[in-house]
Amino acid sequence: MTNPLTPGSLSGKRALITGSSRGIGAQTATYVAEAGASVVINYRSKAPRAEKLVASLTEAGAQAIAVGADLTDAGSVTAMFDRVREEFGGLDLLFLNASGGMEQGMAEDYAMQLNRDAQVNALETALPLMAPGSRVVFVTSHQAHFINTVETMPEYEPVARSKRAGEDALRALIPTIEAAGVEFVVVSGDMIEGTITATLLERSNPGALATRKEAAGKLYDVAEFAAEVALAAVEPIPADHTRYVGDISSFTG
């Protein structure tokens, strides 16, 4: 998968990607950095992995830093954006990519804490750093976006409902976001091959990925979906603030 962004198209831009030490977030950060942006790699606990990505990006000529922050900890989030202000002076692109809720041993309401409350807090904390013309990109799944009208796998439902709650809460802030001159777009994709979520779903519901792939005709892999997330930083925003990736006919038919 080649970088979908034109070289130099993000020169001078400053981007933070939550949950970007691996997977879709890491690949998005790579595309954005290669296009000229300075990037903040956010991670919760995997510092060596984040630092390895930073080293790879800086060796290629990009400006990148790794900043650890637990998005469910407001103090940790404040400290992260304080670091962004100190290092970069502001922020032009905020990718709200981090999500979860299928992990073992977490609090019963962890999915809602991370996928709704933490998303709103991250946006509200970042907004003062974002000048007019900046953009916020929220990453979700079709299974979450359409959960109010289309059932999903029982194993994924708590995550889907919490992510939809997060999307709704962020959309409620659009007037505030736009009053600051900042743009907002949701990127919704199907199940993504090679992600932790897909692996956990397959473990709890063997065959789930193959069944969904047959229904959708195609499932994007990490690099392909990250390319669409990266493009959401530069392409025109649809009137409904939603960028759909892949087929959605089984959700809307």
Side-chain angles (χ1 to χ4, degrees):
M1 181 75 202
T2 56
N3 193 331
L5 299 174
T6 304
S9 60
L10 294 180
S11 292
K13 301 295 186 182
R14 302 150 299 180
L16 185 147
I17 305 94
T18 63
S20 51
S21 67
R22 66 181 176 190
I24 294 164
Q27 192 61 54
T28 300
T30 300
Y31 290 145
V32 169
E34 289 175 349
S38 301
V39 298
V40 180
I41 306 301
N42 161 249
Y43 64 92
R44 185 181 68 183
S45 60
K46 305 296 185 183
R49 190 161 54 198
E51 294 291 354
K52 182 178 179 180
L53 177 57
V54 166
S56 173
L57 295 177
T58 54
E59 285 169 12
Q63 182 178 8
I65 60 173
V67 182
D70 179 349
L71 298 185
T72 64
D73 180 332
S76 182
V77 171
T78 297
M80 175 173 68
F81 286 110
D82 284 346
R83 175 86 184 278
V84 172
R85 183 185 289 107
E86 293 166 7
E87 295 275 350
F88 293 161
L91 197 62
D92 303 288
L93 295 168
L94 173 63
F95 292 89
L96 295 172
N97 164 75
S99 66
M102 296 187 70
E103 302 87 341
Q104 296 293 319
M106 307 302 278
E108 187 176 344
D109 63 344
Y110 177 70
M112 201 66 78
Q113 287 181 33
L114 176 59
N115 298 329
R116 182 192 62 191
D117 303 343
Q119 306 301 316
V120 171
N121 181 58
L123 172 57
E124 291 180 333
T125 308
L127 205 54
L129 296 176
M130 306 183 78
S134 300
R135 186 174 291 194
V136 177
V137 180
F138 175 68
V139 182
T140 191
S141 65
H142 296 340
Q143 286 77 12
H145 180 73
F146 292 104
I147 189 60
N148 292 333
T149 54
V150 180
E151 289 184 358
T152 190
M153 291 164 284
E155 299 85 358
Y156 187 67
E157 185 171 352
V159 176
R161 293 203 175 278
S162 63
K163 284 188 70 65
R164 181 66 224 198
E167 180 182 338
D168 289 342
L170 292 171
R171 286 182 182 274
L173 293 173
I174 287 177
T176 301
I177 297 168
E178 292 185 337
V182 177
E183 300 172 320
F184 175 80
V185 62
V186 171
V187 179
S188 179
D190 213 314
M191 293 174 66
I192 309 299
E193 293 186 298
T195 61
I196 293 298
T197 297
T199 299
L200 292 174
L201 279 172
E202 189 66 22
R203 187 178 300 163
S204 59
N205 187 354
L209 207 61
T211 299
R212 182 60 208 148
K213 189 171 185 176
E214 182 178 357
K218 168 186 170 58
L219 292 181
Y220 283 62
D221 63 22
V222 168
E224 291 171 328
F225 184 64
E228 298 293 335
V229 175
L231 283 170
V234 297
E235 292 196 341
I237 296 176
D240 65 353
H241 295 273
T242 311
R243 180 184 176 89
Y244 294 108
V245 180
D247 179 67
I248 60 170
S249 60
S250 58
F251 295 93
T252 59

